[in-house]
Amino acid sequence: MSQLPARDRLATHEVTNQPPPRGDLDLWAGDPGVQTHAQAAGADAARLADFGAMIGTATMRAAGRDAGRHTPEFVPFDAGGRRLDEVRFHPAWHDLMRAGIGAGYAAIPWEGAPGGHATHAAMVYLMSQVEPGVCCPMTMTYAAIPALRADKGLFAQWVPKLTARLYDPATRPLGAKGGATLGMAMTEKQGGSDVRANATTAEAEGEHYRLTGHKWFCSAPMSDGFLTLAQAEGGLTCFVVPRWLEEGRNAIQIQRLKDKLGNRANASAEIEYHGAIAHRLGDEGAGVHTIIEMVHHTRLDTSMAPAGLMRAALSEAHHWACHRSAFQKRLIDQPLMRAVLADLALDWEGTLALGMHVARAFDGRGAEARAFARLGVALAKFLGNKLCPGVVYEAMEALGGMGYVEDTPLPMLYREAPLNSIWEGSGNVICLDILRTLAREPAAGEALSSELATVTGQDTRFDAAMRAHMETFPKPPEEAQARWYAESLATLLTASVLMRHAPEPVAGAYIATRLSNPRGRVAGAIGGIDPAPVLERLGGGAG
């Protein structure tokens, strides 16, 4: 059904100096940055072009807003008092899940085509611009597949359903479903990130186990199953817990849904296992070793999501600035606004570039690529997520009072901005992982050195920043300096990727403002760069 345009001639005034509605957006064709870095990473450009055009339509963006406004509803009992333990979602949530799963969000990396992880990573970036919450269950489904390799039987049972490209939300056992999703339930009240403190118990019973205990965070509680950790006789062990059994519901009780700051379209729950049937994945006592493959892959997505959030926020700010005038000049033509937006755009493109470059390493088959992926994904996750809230806030401020109003996407993006830094290892955990990886895996440090060496000698400012880093950190530092070290290393790595793949003015501006020239602590407190070529990356030439 077509929609008539809104009236701009009202009884008391005429609406002027307001940006036009955005309508359908092609999130691929309108974004030179993602085209550059996805193709450099070996992603499938044709597939991404289709997905970007589809997911950016006004219809899909409206579905994203509906899914966030009409939050999930916990239904513990039916009308007769029988236990249900179900979470119900607005139809818009199911539309978005159907679109993402159907496009191969979770499946593409495992289908054998070249560049599968890079294509997936770019899809995370695109989907995050529309509704970030819906990414959570699809990301965990994608990331569970390498963990399932620890058991051939479970792999054969689950993976065909997880990669089916069919979204099936029905409450049926796995064998009766055409497609499935897999969630995660790891942390407990007393331990948090320290999962070795988990107290949930697992008792062997024939070919399966019975789990008893609580989980403080269960992401996507209506998934068809969960990877979880529990204490078996042989120590902390990983299990697959099906949500539905042939005879009915498994003994999993939802206690409540978390009332979260953001990510509101997605349900996160506290759950309890009351003798729930579970299947061991990997050896007893090898729980952390088994689950780490899932964590490794979810970290790729938490590296890409902040780039998507930044892009969405800056796209709104750029659109506003191009169509709004103040003091007889368009905002986009005012030098201070240009400096601010250009500075923010460098953080966005740097985060995008590094995330896609790391995704390329996930597609690599050699030992060096695997080693770089382990270290690179931690560096990308750390830096991009620390930058994201500031970028989104400044984009909000560019719209003035309208940026603070729920009629725009900025409040949702701002609430979402801190999440990916907290999920799958907060900043301190990631920094300690970086130090641990360098200490335990010499190949990772060698791969990183090789990456940085590819651009040595091309820019004297970059070379000087490298020397300064090595003088400050001749070896990995003690724990108290881990954040300084990680930020410095991630910034150097980002600059090296931009030097290889971004237009020279963009890479040069990043080096000048992040590695070379003095600058202030706030966005736009920079000098010595031409903002025009940087701003072109925001609007495909506009501004």
Side-chain angles (χ1 to χ4, degrees):
M1 184 176 67
S2 61
Q3 186 174 5
L4 292 174
R7 291 187 297 114
D8 56 11
R9 293 182 180 273
L10 308 182
T12 59
H13 65 284
E14 181 179 355
V15 178
T16 62
N17 199 24
Q18 285 286 330
R22 304 203 68 185
D24 291 341
L25 301 179
D26 190 325
L27 300 184
W28 172 265
D31 185 346
V34 73
Q35 294 175 45
T36 296
H37 299 294
Q39 293 183 69
D44 186 333
R47 199 182 296 268
L48 291 170
D50 291 341
F51 186 69
M54 179 271 291
I55 204 67
T57 62
T59 298
M60 295 307 295
R61 296 192 343 268
R65 292 179 69 80
D66 286 342
R69 284 173 169 166
H70 304 281
T71 55
E73 177 190 7
F74 174 36
V75 185
F77 302 98
D78 72 3
R82 291 170 286 267
R83 190 89 197 191
L84 280 178
D85 286 295
E86 292 182 6
V87 180
R88 294 177 182 168
F89 295 86
H90 188 272
W93 167 270
H94 298 295
D95 291 342
L96 292 162
M97 286 289 291
R98 194 171 294 110
I101 292 288
Y105 182 112
I108 283 174
W110 316 113
E111 293 175 339
H117 288 285
T119 305
H120 162 82
M123 292 179 76
V124 175
Y125 168 81
L126 295 169
M127 193 83 183
S128 295
Q129 297 177 47
V130 176
E131 191 358 85
V134 81
C135 293
C136 176
M138 295 192 294
T139 283
M140 291 187 296
T141 300
Y142 148 75
I145 290 167
L148 288 166
R149 291 177 181 145
D151 186 284
K152 290 182 180 179
L154 290 171
F155 187 92
Q157 181 184 15
W158 280 90
V159 170
K161 304 298 176 93
L162 301 179
T163 57
R165 294 199 182 206
L166 175 66
Y167 175 58
D168 182 356
T171 55
R172 291 194 293 259
L174 185 66
K177 301 192 71 168
T181 58
L182 202 59
M184 181 190 298
M186 288 206 299
T187 59
E188 299 181 5
K189 297 174 185 176
Q190 72 282 355
S193 296
D194 183 9
V195 294
R196 295 186 188 278
N198 282 10
T200 297
T201 60
E203 294 186 8
E205 184 182 272
E207 295 183 352
H208 59 254
Y209 288 70
R210 292 277 185 177
L211 268 55
T212 302
H214 85 281
K215 292 294 173 182
W216 191 227
F217 276 93
C218 174
S219 298
M222 288 306 287
S223 299
D224 295 289
F226 310 102
L227 291 192
T228 198
L229 294 173
Q231 299 287 355
E233 184 176 354
L236 190 65
T237 304
C238 188
F239 295 91
V240 177
V241 187
R243 182 92 175 98
W244 322 108
L245 306 173
E246 292 295 333
E247 58 271 26
R249 289 168 168 79
N250 203 353
I252 305 169
Q253 288 191 4
I254 299 174
Q255 302 305 299
R256 63 171 177 166
L257 298 187
K258 298 287 193 181
D259 188 7
K260 298 170 294 184
L261 168 68
N263 207 247
R264 299 185 69 85
N266 177 44
S268 301
E270 299 169 26
I271 67 170
E272 287 184 354
Y273 297 132
H274 291 266
I277 289 176
H279 305 283
R280 179 165 53 83
L281 182 63
D283 295 333
E284 284 195 2
V288 173
H289 176 76
T290 303
I291 202 74
I292 203 68
E293 276 299 314
M294 185 177 191
V295 172
H296 177 56
H297 285 78
T298 52
R299 282 182 178 175
L300 176 61
D301 289 21
T302 60
S303 301
M304 292 306 306
L309 300 177
M310 286 189 261
R311 171 68 194 186
L314 288 173
S315 178
E316 292 293 325
H318 187 259
H319 178 71
W320 178 271
C322 287
H323 296 91
R324 178 82 167 174
S325 296
F327 311 113
Q328 292 76 54
K329 291 173 65 177
R330 284 196 313 163
L331 293 178
I332 196 64
D333 296 326
Q334 300 191 21
L336 188 52
M337 179 63 78
R338 293 176 69 80
V340 170
L341 291 179
D343 198 14
L344 300 175
L346 291 171
D347 281 339
W348 152 68
E349 183 153 357
T351 301
L352 171 61
L354 182 55
M356 290 306 309
H357 190 69
V358 170
R360 181 181 183 181
F362 274 68
D363 283 312
R365 298 186 181 277
E368 183 175 355
R370 290 194 296 272
F372 175 70
R374 284 191 293 275
L375 182 58
V377 76
L379 291 167
K381 178 183 179 336
F382 177 73
L383 182 60
N385 282 296
K386 292 304 177 190
L387 297 172
C388 184
V391 171
V392 175
Y393 155 70
E394 289 285 358
M396 176 186 289
E397 187 175 289
L399 272 68
M402 278 307 300
Y404 205 67
V405 174
E406 296 284 351
D407 289 345
T408 75
L410 272 302
M412 180 275 287
L413 296 169
Y414 189 62
R415 290 190 296 269
E416 194 75 21
L419 173 63
N420 291 283
S421 187
I422 296 169
W423 189 35
E424 294 299 34
S426 59
N428 286 354
V429 171
I430 294 297
C431 288
L432 295 176
D433 279 357
I434 290 168
L435 297 186
R436 192 177 301 115
T437 299
L438 289 169
R440 295 180 180 177
E441 301 183 47
E446 293 167 5
L448 179 61
S449 296
S450 177
E451 285 278 337
L452 295 171
T454 59
V455 297
T456 300
Q458 296 182 23
D459 190 302
T460 57
R461 300 167 299 175
F462 178 85
D463 295 346
M466 274 291 299
R467 287 193 299 272
H469 175 85
M470 294 304 297
E471 290 169 2
T472 304
F473 304 108
K475 61 181 181 179
E478 298 298 321
E479 179 179 318
Q481 292 184 311
R483 282 196 173 211
W484 182 10
Y485 177 75
E487 179 185 350
S488 176
L489 204 52
T491 305
L492 286 165
L493 183 58
T494 300
S496 78
V497 176
L498 291 172
M499 290 168 70
R500 281 174 270 179
H501 303 308
E504 189 283 327
V506 174
Y510 188 93
I511 293 169
T513 56
R514 273 72 178 159
L515 296 177
S516 180
N517 298 343
R519 62 162 295 153
R521 293 182 61 188
V522 299
I526 58 173
I529 71 164
D530 178 4
V534 180
L535 293 174
E536 285 180 4
R537 308 289 278 176
L538 284 181

